[in-house]
Amino acid sequence: MSPTDSSRPAARPSRAPNARLAGLLYLVPMFCGPFSMMYVPSTIVVPGDAAATAANLVASEGLFRLGMLSDSVIVVAEVVLTAMLYVLLRPAGRTLALAATFARLGMTVLQAVNLLPQLAALQLVGGAAYLAAFDVGQRQALALLSLHVHDVGVHVWEIFFGLHCLLLGVLIFRSGFFPRTFGVLMGIASFGYALNGLGNLVAPGSAPVFAAIVGIAALVGEVPFVLWLLIKGVDASRWQDADQRSMRMFPVTVPAAG
């Protein structure tokens, strides 16, 4: 292979990524999240009452484990969705797309780690022999503490997700193959998630207010973009044009053989 051949840009895909598949993956956390993050805790956790919470946890262990399964499905879907969003929005800015990817992957890792306090709560009420060193009241209190740590962990990964939504909004606005309005709306969603995450860590007493804000922000900011992905997808010709411009700015070279 000649030196000239070694610097030729690598072949590009002939069509745009499957935006509708990304939209379908986006539905996984949208539908599974309320079940595992809202319904299951509201059924099991009795705020301030460790004994009642432990009793509910034992009586509804199947429901609790189903909630953990729902969270696990979300984690797996997020890994694939993160990769698809990077490929989809890479033409709008490779550095920004990479930063958005790392932010969402950071969120996903924290979501996976946040399953551990739930597993600890189950172990504490399970009655294993090695827990005999603790009396019943202590085990129940530790189980409630574990569930509280899980709740706080949600607000930690929300901060990463707020950063991701902000970067995603900028990419959508700059893309040229999505309506710019969606970029602005995604910025609103980023504000809601960041405020809910940081607000609950700094001023947990105002949690209901923050929850209302993040609910409205997510509905206004994320849902329109997801619906567009599902219904319209992405304009293949515009995406290819943007991808070609990106490739000219950041050419990928093929190393010479031998």
Side-chain angles (χ1 to χ4, degrees):
M1 179 178 293
S2 67
T4 302
D5 292 336
S6 65
S7 61
R8 287 178 180 172
R12 295 183 298 272
S14 59
R15 59 185 177 85
N18 192 334
R20 289 187 174 86
L21 180 56
L24 287 173
L25 287 171
Y26 234 121
L27 293 178
V28 174
M30 282 188 164
F31 281 97
C32 293
F35 172 75
S36 58
M37 295 173 58
M38 298 172 65
Y39 175 72
V40 173
S42 68
T43 302
I44 292 176
V45 177
V46 181
D49 193 332
T53 299
N56 290 340
L57 194 55
V58 172
S60 304
E61 181 178 344
L63 175 65
F64 188 76
R65 289 187 180 276
L66 194 59
M68 290 194 296
L69 175 61
S70 177
D71 281 337
S72 300
V73 171
I74 290 174
V75 168
V76 173
E78 286 287 359
V79 171
V80 181
L81 175 58
T82 301
M84 296 194 70
L85 288 175
Y86 170 74
V87 174
L88 183 63
L89 290 164
R90 179 184 59 196
R94 295 193 171 198
T95 302
L96 279 178
L98 193 60
T101 297
F102 284 153
R104 192 159 192 142
L105 280 178
M107 174 204 74
T108 304
V109 171
L110 289 173
Q111 285 178 324
V113 172
N114 207 31
L115 288 168
L116 297 180
Q118 291 182 307
L119 289 170
L122 275 180
Q123 293 296 316
L124 285 164
V125 300
Y130 59 82
L131 292 173
F134 303 96
D135 63 38
V136 174
Q138 290 174 326
R139 293 199 300 269
Q140 292 173 344
L142 288 172
L144 184 58
L145 173 62
S146 296
L147 294 178
H148 178 67
V149 169
H150 170 78
D151 290 342
V152 174
V154 170
H155 301 307
V156 175
W157 65 249
E158 271 186 320
I159 300 172
F160 282 81
F161 191 55
L163 174 60
H164 168 78
C165 288
L166 177 62
L167 297 173
L168 195 66
V170 175
L171 289 165
I172 293 170
F173 189 85
R174 294 175 51 178
S175 67
F177 44 83
F178 286 119
R180 287 188 168 188
T181 303
F182 293 156
V184 177
L185 294 177
M186 193 63 73
I188 294 175
S190 74
F191 170 77
Y193 283 111
L195 180 63
N196 192 49
L198 291 170
N200 276 280
L201 294 178
V202 176
S206 301
V209 176
F210 297 135
I213 292 175
V214 75
I216 295 172
L219 182 64
V220 172
E222 283 190 281
V223 172
F225 178 61
V226 175
L227 291 176
W228 183 275
L229 289 176
L230 289 169
I231 298 170
K232 299 283 290 186
V234 65
D235 187 307
S237 61
R238 289 187 177 183
W239 185 91
Q240 289 175 25
D241 288 343
D243 190 43
Q244 289 172 5
R245 289 194 299 270
S246 174
M247 293 293 289
R248 284 195 295 269
M249 293 177 62
F250 303 97
V252 179
T253 59
V254 179

